[in-house]
Amino acid sequence: MIELKDVYKTYTRKGISNDALKGINVKVEKGDIFGVIGYSGAGKSTLIRLVNYLEKPTKGQVFVDGHDLGKYSDKELRAAKKNIGMIFQHFNLLESKKVFDNVAIPLILLKKNKDEIRKRVLELLEFVGLGDKAGSYPSELSGGQKQRVGIARALASNPSILLCDEATSALDPQTTRSILQLLKKINAEYNITVMIITHEMSVIQEICNKVAVMEEGRIIEQGSVLEVFGHPQHPTTQNFVKTVIQNSITNSMQKSIKREPGSGIYKLEFVGQCASEPILYKMIRSYDVQVNILFANMTEIEETTLGKVIIQLKGDTAEVNKALSFLKNSGVGVEEVEKHDVNYSYN
Amino acid sequence: MMSTTVTTDQFMQAIMDTLYMVGMSLFVGSLIGIPIGILLVVTRPGGVLESKMLYAIINPVINIVRSLPFIILLVAIIPFTRLIVQTSIGTSAAIVPLIIYIAPYIGRLVENSLLEVNPGILEAAEAMGATPFQVIWYFLLPEAVGSLILSLTTATIGLIGATAMAGTVGGGGVGDLAIVYGYQRFDTVVVIATVVVLIIFVQGIQSFGNILARKIRRY
């Protein structure tokens, strides 16, 4: 469990102060895969470094497993850090040491005996899929393999928390996917709480269950990934969501829409079970309305299907209203698009 | 046919003296200089053992010693040399100023080598909860070894140059031979022989340093 309470961080250099974090409140529950997303300079790097106290807050408190890190002595803090693994964008492996020795380092720091270290390191390398690379140097590995070594190293001391600092930002999409699957496996098999910072919404979509969106040192939106993806409130969040979910009617389609009297445009939202039922079909069969689908998209988030459809309904007002209440009663989110809204995009 | 007044034995003795002076001052100079270099890196602002006071003392002291040309340092510290080795002439007397000369130089070179280490690695070390000593021993030094070897190679070559002036206090060595016999007695053969020997020394040391560094780096 990680909790940041009203945290501020100000850097002062040559008399000029720069507020990196302005009142952050975050709670990460045990077993969460918590994503923090934001553009460069939003303060997410600073945020993740507060969790293992690589950065100390100017104001506010950081709790890990219920303990206030600010109350720890240097020695206690070092012990606490061994419970928090961290992986980095640029891996930060020792280039002069073999893969085996890189993974062994946290155990050497813990003064474990040689046999124990050997057993644990080989087991970890096997787990991350690098059983045959113990004797290689990092320079002989690909980016994805280096990150696997980083992960094995971070897990060596059996931490309960894993911090990922842009861990996939230097990797290609396919490698990113395999690393994310590995993180998911770690979360599931060892029940390790994972905190990820990223600027890629696809990372959040792929493995996170909770997300916080940051901008200019503040968290502008947070909640379950399904909530935030389904109903992004803030423009920045909407922009991030757009990067993974196409959510607006194509231009040519927009031009061809005829807004006639007795017709209306509606945004429909299907979540979970209702996305797999033939609701629109039933509606058309039961009511005398014409349906014109302008846009449709299905996305899977947290293993739940999220469907977004924009339709134009034509027909007698009474029939249209009946059809709309049928949709609402079937659990579909319905929202009429304002006449003057020419954008017809989802947010 | 050119002739020379220097015997082969004299020449061999001069080579041995040079090697002895370089070897001893490099050894002791490293024992002092490497810790100084480490101290400079760890006590500097943002270092793992940041100490404004210590850094503010070591840094200028090194600059002061480093700003003295060796020939001046050599004579300036004669009283100190006498205190340490009970004499102010001879090979041993030359070693004391050579150490004083080379230790701060090594300190600076070591500092530069250590500063080259990727700061991300030190961050990883800190994230693992390593103590400052562990950061130095398990992260900083191993990552800098290749570069440190090259730094010591540079220092060794600097020392060979400095030993040429050791003749001023009767320290001997090939440099002394070149001045006393070659320059003052117009013995061209000695000058040429000395130059050849020095070139071979420097080339040999540099090549050895390069090979060793490459072998250790492996990347």
Side-chain angles (χ1 to χ4, degrees):
Chain A
M1 206 265 288
I2 304 165
E3 192 174 3
L4 274 69
K5 270 192 185 161
D6 208 24
V7 167
Y8 287 78
K9 175 75 188 180
T10 307
Y11 294 101
T12 311
R13 195 171 290 164
K14 289 176 183 163
I16 302 162
S17 63
N18 172 23
D19 299 325
L21 297 177
K22 306 163 188 169
I24 298 284
N25 287 289
V26 173
K27 200 168 179 183
V28 181
E29 302 291 347
K30 174 112 191 96
D32 272 350
I33 303 188
F34 192 101
V36 177
I37 188 163
Y39 295 116
S40 305
K44 49 194 198 309
S45 273
T46 309
L47 177 71
I48 203 164
R49 280 167 175 72
L50 284 165
V51 178
N52 59 356
Y53 247 52
L54 288 178
E55 299 276 4
K56 294 177 176 57
T58 312
K59 218 178 98 186
Q61 292 162 296
V62 179
F63 295 90
V64 171
D65 293 334
H67 299 285
D68 182 351
L69 295 185
K71 294 217 165 78
Y72 276 150
S73 66
D74 284 356
K75 200 178 166 191
E76 288 168 320
L77 197 57
R78 281 198 291 268
K81 281 176 180 176
K82 299 196 193 305
N83 186 36
I84 308 173
M86 189 170 191
I87 58 174
F88 305 86
Q89 179 175 7
H90 298 295
F91 325 121
N92 295 347
L93 303 177
L94 287 155
E95 296 287 335
S96 58
K97 303 273 189 197
K98 288 178 180 168
V99 166
F100 181 95
D101 300 304
N102 265 289
V103 179
I105 274 204
L107 301 168
I108 294 170
L109 299 185
L110 283 167
K111 302 188 171 68
K112 300 273 184 202
N113 73 50
K114 276 207 167 130
D115 292 339
E116 210 176 331
I117 291 178
R118 190 169 175 77
K119 192 167 159 272
R120 178 88 180 124
V121 170
L122 294 179
E123 172 191 305
L124 282 162
L125 286 176
E126 205 60 52
F127 178 77
V128 300
L130 292 177
D132 55 338
K133 297 286 183 196
S136 303
Y137 282 90
S139 59
E140 296 158 7
L141 304 180
S142 69
Q145 290 172 327
K146 283 183 197 176
Q147 195 57 285
R148 284 168 190 271
V149 178
I151 290 170
R153 179 175 75 175
L155 296 179
S157 57
N158 259 323
S160 67
I161 293 169
L162 179 64
L163 304 178
C164 310
D165 176 18
E166 296 275 5
T168 59
S169 299
L171 305 174
D172 62 64
Q174 205 177 341
T175 313
T176 293
R177 192 164 280 236
S178 75
I179 294 293
L180 292 177
Q181 289 315 310
L182 178 59
L183 292 177
K184 209 170 186 171
K185 181 170 139 192
I186 289 163
N187 171 261
E189 280 186 28
Y190 298 118
N191 195 26
I192 291 177
T193 308
V194 180
M195 190 169 182
I196 294 178
I197 66 165
T198 181
H199 60 266
E200 295 168 309
M201 203 60 180
S202 55
V203 170
I204 307 278
Q205 183 188 12
E206 198 125 341
I207 63 166
C208 295
N209 66 328
K210 285 192 193 146
V211 63
V213 185
M214 282 191 80
E215 191 172 65
E216 287 174 1
R218 293 193 176 85
I219 289 179
I220 53 175
E221 212 164 329
Q222 67 175 316
S224 82
V225 173
L226 194 60
E227 261 166 50
V228 173
F229 268 67
H231 305 279
Q233 303 298 319
H234 195 280
T236 302
T237 315
Q238 290 166 9
N239 281 335
F240 275 122
V241 172
K242 260 184 216 165
T243 61
V244 287
I245 304 178
Q246 206 241 322
N247 65 351
S248 57
I249 304 172
T250 58
N251 279 334
S252 53
M253 195 76 165
Q254 279 196 26
K255 280 180 201 139
S256 66
I257 297 171
K258 292 188 196 88
R259 307 215 78 168
E260 304 154 2
S263 80
I265 294 177
Y266 302 90
K267 293 177 184 175
L268 309 181
E269 187 175 271
F270 301 78
V271 182
Q273 186 57 36
C274 78
S276 54
E277 282 171 18
I279 294 174
L280 278 182
Y281 167 78
K282 284 183 193 161
M283 181 188 83
I284 296 165
R285 289 291 298 255
S286 318
Y287 307 96
D288 184 18
V289 287
Q290 282 183 47
V291 178
N292 181 16
I293 294 178
L294 304 173
F295 167 84
N297 180 292
M298 291 271 202
T299 315
E300 190 180 293
I301 298 155
E302 290 180 64
E303 279 143 34
T304 302
T305 305
L306 180 63
K308 296 206 165 194
V309 180
I310 301 179
I311 58 169
Q312 189 172 29
L313 280 185
K314 269 186 234 174
D316 180 64
T317 315
E319 278 300 294
V320 168
N321 284 342
K322 272 193 243 165
L324 290 175
S325 27
F326 166 77
L327 289 177
K328 284 176 194 160
N329 291 336
S330 312
V332 179
V334 180
E335 190 193 336
E336 183 166 10
V337 181
E338 297 293 322
K339 298 275 185 230
H340 54 81
D341 184 358
V342 287
N343 220 353
Y344 308 120
S345 71
Y346 245 107
N347 48 39
Chain B
M1 188 67 195
M2 287 208 269
S3 63
T4 175
T5 54
V6 175
T7 65
T8 312
D9 279 354
Q10 267 179 304
F11 200 70
M12 289 312 291
Q13 183 60 46
I15 289 175
M16 292 313 292
D17 286 346
T18 295
L19 289 179
Y20 173 65
M21 284 188 288
V22 170
M24 272 303 281
S25 44
L26 182 69
F27 179 69
V28 183
S30 299
L31 287 185
I32 302 168
I34 293 174
I36 288 177
I38 294 171
L39 265 181
L40 278 171
V41 172
V42 297
T43 61
R44 69 168 37 230
V48 289
L49 282 171
E50 186 174 337
S51 162
K52 281 198 176 109
M53 201 182 74
L54 215 52
Y55 188 73
I57 295 170
I58 305 170
N59 201 34
V61 167
I62 288 181
N63 286 342
I64 291 167
V65 180
R66 295 255 299 124
S67 53
L68 294 178
F70 180 63
I71 190 82
I72 295 169
L73 182 78
L74 185 68
V75 291
I77 63 157
I78 282 178
F80 176 72
T81 306
R82 194 173 285 141
L83 191 76
I84 302 287
V85 290
Q86 315 299 329
T87 175
S88 59
I89 52 164
T91 311
S92 302
I95 286 174
V96 175
L98 280 171
I99 290 167
I100 305 276
Y101 170 74
I102 207 66
Y105 186 36
I106 291 175
R108 273 283 178 248
L109 289 168
V110 167
E111 180 192 22
N112 288 338
S113 292
L114 297 181
L115 286 178
E116 278 170 27
V117 172
N118 172 10
I121 284 170
L122 303 183
E123 189 179 41
E126 233 188 296
M128 283 176 217
T131 62
F133 173 78
Q134 287 173 329
V135 174
I136 296 167
W137 189 250
Y138 291 111
F139 296 85
L140 200 54
L141 290 177
E143 281 300 277
V145 162
S147 171
L148 284 173
I149 287 169
L150 293 178
S151 291
L152 286 181
T153 307
T154 306
T156 311
I157 291 168
L159 265 178
I160 292 175
T163 56
M165 288 167 254
T168 316
V169 292
V174 287
D176 190 24
L177 204 68
I179 290 175
V180 174
Y181 289 87
Y183 176 66
Q184 287 164 357
R185 297 189 189 174
F186 310 105
D187 188 337
T188 317
V189 176
V190 172
V191 175
I192 292 170
T194 310
V195 168
V196 171
V197 166
L198 287 176
I199 289 173
I200 291 170
F201 271 10
V202 171
Q203 284 291 346
I205 288 164
Q206 189 66 57
S207 305
F208 177 70
N210 288 349
I211 290 167
L212 200 61
R214 203 175 311 139
K215 200 166 175 169
I216 283 180
R217 271 185 171 162
R218 300 272 322 247
Y219 54 89

